[in-house]
Amino acid sequence: MPTDVERWKSEVYGTEIREHLFRFAEEGWDAIPEDERDAWFERFKWWGLYHQRNGQESYFMLRIGTPNGRLEPGQLRVVGEVAKEYATGPGTNPIFGDAYADFTTRQSIQLHWIKLEDVPAIFEKLEAHGLSAQQACGDSWRNIVGNPMAGDDATEVIDAWPVIQELNETFKGNDDHSNLPRKWKVSVTGTPDGSGQGDINDLALEPAYKEIDGEEQVGFNVRVGGGLARNEPRLARDIDVWVAPEDAAAVAGGLSALFRDHGDRENRYNARIKFLVDEWGTEKLRETLQEDYVDFELETAGDDLRDQYTYNAGGEGRNDLLGVHEQKDGSNFVGLNVLVGRMGADDVIQLADLAEQYGSGAARLTQRQNVIVPDIPDGELDDFLAEDLLEHYSPEPSPFMRGSVACTGTEFCSLSIVETKNRQVRFARWLKENVDLPEGVEEFHIHLSGCTASCAQPQIADVSLRGMKTRKDGEPVEALDIGLGGGLGEEPQFARWVTQRVPVDEVPGAIENLLANFDDQRDGTETFREFVLRHDDDELADLVEPEETSYEDPMMHNTKRTWYPYAEDDELDASPAPSLADGTPITSDD
Amino acid sequence: MTVSLRVLDDGAWVSVNDAREVSVSELWRLDDPSFCGCDLPDFVVENVLSVGVDGRTVTANVYGQCIGCGETGVPGWVPVGRLSDGKFVDIDRENTVLPVYDGDDR
C-alpha cells in the first residue's frame, strides 16, 4: 500500500506546489485547511520549506540550495539581508541572538522563523539574484555537493563545476526526476583530496583517469548507495563505471531514473538507494543501468585518486579547507571557521563587504559548515587577514573550534533528541580553555548530531556524539552516545559506538580523559584513528571516562518539551505560535 | 467520525487530525519485561514506525532503546493517547507505566 506521502505526492508535487504555496502566503496561515496541513507541509519541502517543530507552528525553516556551495558575487549579501529582514521569530538564541544563517554539511543555507506570508517576497529577492530554494528538501535531486573551489583550486585534476552546473540545470524542475521515492544526494568532485565526501552520498562522481582510444582522459568513477542515516550507514559502492564529463548527466540521470522506477515507495525507511544496492548488489545495478537507462556502452572504472584523499581523513594533508590556499590564477582562497556553521546576519553582510573589498565578492560554503572567501590577490592577503571579523571567524582556529560540526537540534528540529548547536559551542569553548591535544595533533573532529538522521555526519568524526537520553540521580537528562575513530580518506570507516548514554555534562570530561589516555598510550606519532583501530571496543570504552568537570550544562532537561528551549517561560503552553504574519499569536477558537 | 492518524516527518511525530501530538525523544516506562529483561524498560523513543487505533486508544509502534540496559528494538503497540468525540486526548506518557500489546492483542 502506498504511504501517505506517496499519495500526497501523486496528487500535487514538484514545480506546481509553488502556485499553492503562494496562494496560502497571500491568504495567510489559516488558509491552509486543518485537515490538509500534513499534506501541504510535506509538499512545501520540495520548495525548501520545512515546518518547524511542535510549539513553533506557522514558522518554517527555509533551505537555500547553493550548488557546490558556490555563492556568486553579491549572493552572500543577499543571504545576509534576507536573514536580517525575515529570519527572526519570538525566540532569541542566547549565543547567536536574532537573525542568523546556518551553513550546512551539504553546502546549503538554512534560515529559521520564516513566515509563510513572507515567502513570495523572499523568493523574489533570492531568485532576482540567482538563488533558489527549489528542491532543497523533499524527494528529489537535492543540492549537489563537491569541492566548493572547483574550477579554481590549484590542486584539481578536472574542473567539476561545469558538470555540477549541467546536472543542476538538467535535474532541477525536471518532471521526470522531480518525484523520487526519497531524497537523492549527489556529490561531484575534481580534486584529489576527497573534499566532495562522495562516500556518503547516494551518487558520487569521483575523479579518475581512463585510457580511451589510446589516450588517457580524466573523468569520473561512479559510486552509488552511500548515506549515514538511521543506524544504517553505508559507504557508496563502486559500480565499475567510468564516465567522461560530457556523459555525466546521462549516467547520473540514468541512475536517478533507475532509483525512481525501482526504489521502495511502500516503506520510507527502506527507500534510499543504499537499500536497493544492498538488495541487488552492484553487478545487477550496473546491468540494469546499462540495459534500461543509458544508450551507450558504459566504460569500466578508471584509475581513481583515492589513495590521495585527505579531507576529513585524520592524517596528513588538508582535512578541511580552512586557511590560505593558492588558486589556479595565482590569487588565493581563504577558508574561515564558522563554529557549528551559524553566522549572525550582520556578520554575513560584513563578510560580504570584505569579500567585495578584497576578493571578487564571491563566497563558498564547505561541507564542514565553514565559509571561504576566494579570489584574494597576494597583495591584499595580509590586510584581509588582519580584519577584525576574522578574529571571530578565524582561518586558523583552535582545533576544537575547527573540528566542531553540529546539526540543528531540538531548537527547531522535530527529529532531534537533544540540544546541539549551542551545546557544541559550549563544548568547544570549554575544551579550548581546558584541554591540550597531544603533540603534533593539529586536527580533532567532534561532530554532534541530535539523532540517528546524522545531519552532522557523526560517523565520520574522530569523536562522534549522538543524541540520547539517560537518567541521572533518577531524573531524565539529555545524554550522548560516544563513537570513536570515524573518518574518510583512502580507507573510510565509520565510528564505533563504544560508550552509550553519557549525561551531557560529563561529555567534556570524557573527551578530556580520552585525549589524556590517547597521549599516554599513543604509539609514537600514530594518528587518533590509527590508535582507535588497534583497540577493541571494550578497551576503547575503558579509555572514555565520563566525568563531571567545571563544565556546566544549562540544558540538561528535556529541551524537546519546550516551545523554545531558551525562552524565559519555555513551557509548551506558553508558546506564542501559531501566529499571524506580524507575529501576533493566533488565539484558538476552542 | 473519521480520524486521521499518521506518522510524519520521517518518523518524528504521530499526527492525529493533522496535529503533531506525540514526539520522538520521549522517555517511556513500559510494562514489558520481555523487551529487554528489565522489569520496567526505561525506553527512549527514537523513531515512530506506525500508528494505529484500538477502540478509542491510539497506539504507536516505535523504535528505541532501554536506557537501563541499552537494548534496542521495537516493542509491541504502546498506547499514546485516547480519542474522545474524534479529538485526541493526551496521556502523561512520561509519568505513567505504559502497557505494551502485541499485534494480535491490539
Side-chain angles (χ1 to χ4, degrees), chain B residues 26-49:
Chain B
E26 289 188 0
L27 200 50
W28 297 347
R29 283 278 188 188
L30 302 179
D31 183 10
D32 183 15
S34 67
F35 176 70
C36 58
C38 294
D39 286 345
L40 294 173
D42 209 357
F43 184 86
V44 180
V45 182
E46 294 187 71
N47 257 123
V48 183
L49 304 177

Side-chain angles (χ1 to χ4, degrees), chain A residues 48-344:
Chain A
L49 285 159
Y50 210 112
H51 192 214
Q52 287 180 193
R53 71 169 175 86
N54 219 17
Q56 301 171 1
E57 288 78 6
S58 79
Y59 291 96
F60 290 80
M61 178 273 281
L62 172 67
R63 185 180 296 155
I64 304 164
T66 45
N68 210 33
R70 189 177 173 108
L71 288 157
E72 302 298 350
Q75 290 182 336
L76 184 64
R77 176 180 307 286
V78 171
V79 169
E81 288 174 353
V82 170
K84 191 175 173 74
E85 186 169 359
Y86 299 104
T88 53
T92 297
N93 185 295
I95 293 176
F96 298 99
D98 293 311
Y100 36 80
D102 288 349
F103 303 143
T104 77
T105 52
R106 286 191 55 77
Q107 296 170 280
S108 295
I109 299 156
Q110 294 183 175
L111 308 179
H112 291 95
W113 297 122
I114 299 296
K115 296 296 295 180
L116 190 60
E117 293 85 348
D118 291 329
V119 167
I122 293 172
F123 278 18
E124 185 181 352
K125 178 156 184 167
L126 292 176
E127 290 165 5
H129 294 86
L131 292 163
S132 172
Q134 185 183 5
Q135 289 171 242
C137 314
D139 293 344
S140 63
W141 278 69
R142 298 291 192 86
N143 193 46
I144 300 168
V145 300
N147 176 326
M149 291 308 301
D152 298 312
D153 191 327
T155 68
E156 74 183 9
V157 297
I158 181 170
D159 181 359
W161 178 235
V163 176
I164 293 169
Q165 278 181 297
E166 185 184 3
L167 295 180
N168 189 58
E169 285 161 13
T170 306
F171 298 109
K172 283 284 166 81
N174 182 327
D175 288 344
D176 290 339
H177 300 265
S178 65
N179 179 0
L180 302 177
R182 199 72 174 77
K183 63 181 83 170
W184 180 249
K185 293 179 171 179
V186 177
S187 167
V188 186
T189 321
T191 44
D193 61 354
S195 54
Q197 300 201 128
D199 278 322
I200 56 170
N201 282 264
D202 295 297
L203 168 63
L205 301 183
E206 302 189 308
Y209 295 98
K210 180 79 177 176
E211 192 173 303
I212 304 288
D213 299 329
E215 281 191 34
E216 187 175 69
Q217 293 190 23
V218 194
F220 304 95
N221 277 352
V222 181
R223 287 175 181 250
V224 181
L228 299 177
R230 298 203 178 285
N231 288 322
E232 297 278 1
R234 301 282 189 282
L235 295 167
R237 277 138 293 176
D238 180 0
I239 65 164
D240 193 24
V241 171
W242 178 91
V243 62
E246 58 271 24
D247 293 327
V251 169
L255 284 161
S256 162
L258 181 155
F259 174 51
R260 175 195 64 209
D261 297 342
H262 296 282
D264 187 347
R265 289 183 187 265
E266 299 198 347
N267 179 359
R268 289 182 67 77
Y269 300 112
N270 194 45
R272 293 285 292 276
I273 199 170
K274 64 186 177 185
F275 298 113
L276 188 65
V277 180
D278 288 356
E279 184 186 334
W280 279 13
T282 52
E283 264 183 48
K284 179 176 175 181
L285 190 88
R286 190 187 196 284
E287 282 170 17
T288 308
L289 174 67
Q290 177 69 79
E291 288 171 15
D292 299 340
Y293 294 97
V294 293
D295 57 8
F296 55 88
E297 191 70 22
L298 293 168
E299 300 285 349
T300 57
D303 295 327
D304 64 39
L305 306 170
R306 293 175 66 89
D307 61 350
Q308 298 177 47
Y309 284 10
T310 57
Y311 194 85
N312 205 15
E316 298 287 314
R318 66 186 192 190
N319 274 266
D320 55 33
L321 296 173
L322 294 190
V324 179
H325 303 268
E326 190 179 4
Q327 293 181 201
K328 278 180 184 171
D329 64 1
S331 63
N332 305 279
F333 70 86
V334 182
L336 305 176
N337 180 227
V338 183
L339 185 56
V340 302
R342 180 165 286 179
M343 190 178 235

Side-chain angles (χ1 to χ4, degrees), chain A residues 4 7-8 34-39 42 45 50-54 57 182 230-231 268-269 414-417 452 468-471 476 481 500-501 558 560-561 590, chain B residues 4-13 15 17-21 23-27 29 42 44-49 63 65-70 87 93-94:
Chain A
D4 283 332
R7 188 166 51 77
W8 297 330
E34 283 191 18
D35 62 353
E36 295 179 16
R37 284 185 177 160
D38 286 351
E42 187 61 40
K45 293 176 187 174
Y50 210 112
H51 192 214
Q52 287 180 193
R53 71 169 175 86
N54 219 17
E57 288 78 6
R182 199 72 174 77
R230 298 203 178 285
N231 288 322
R268 289 182 67 77
Y269 300 112
S414 292
L415 272 163
S416 186
I417 296 174
T452 59
M468 193 26 72
K469 287 278 181 60
T470 193
R471 285 188 195 272
D481 290 342
Q500 269 82 37
R501 300 178 300 283
N558 187 345
K560 198 68 166 289
R561 301 289 284 184
D590 294 341
Chain B
S4 165
L5 296 172
R6 59 176 66 99
V7 178
L8 275 192
D9 292 347
D10 301 323
W13 297 99
S15 167
N17 290 332
D18 283 64
R20 296 177 290 186
E21 301 287 3
S23 164
V24 294
S25 87
E26 289 188 0
L27 200 50
R29 283 278 188 188
D42 209 357
V44 180
V45 182
E46 294 187 71
N47 257 123
V48 183
L49 304 177
Y63 172 89
Q65 69 173 276
C66 171
I67 62 170
C69 67
K87 292 186 175 175
R93 290 175 298 276
E94 294 199 295

Side-chain angles (χ1 to χ4, degrees), chain A residues 502-515:
Chain A
V502 177
V504 286
D505 61 336
E506 298 177 27
V507 170
I511 295 171
E512 179 181 32
N513 291 332
L514 170 68
L515 282 168

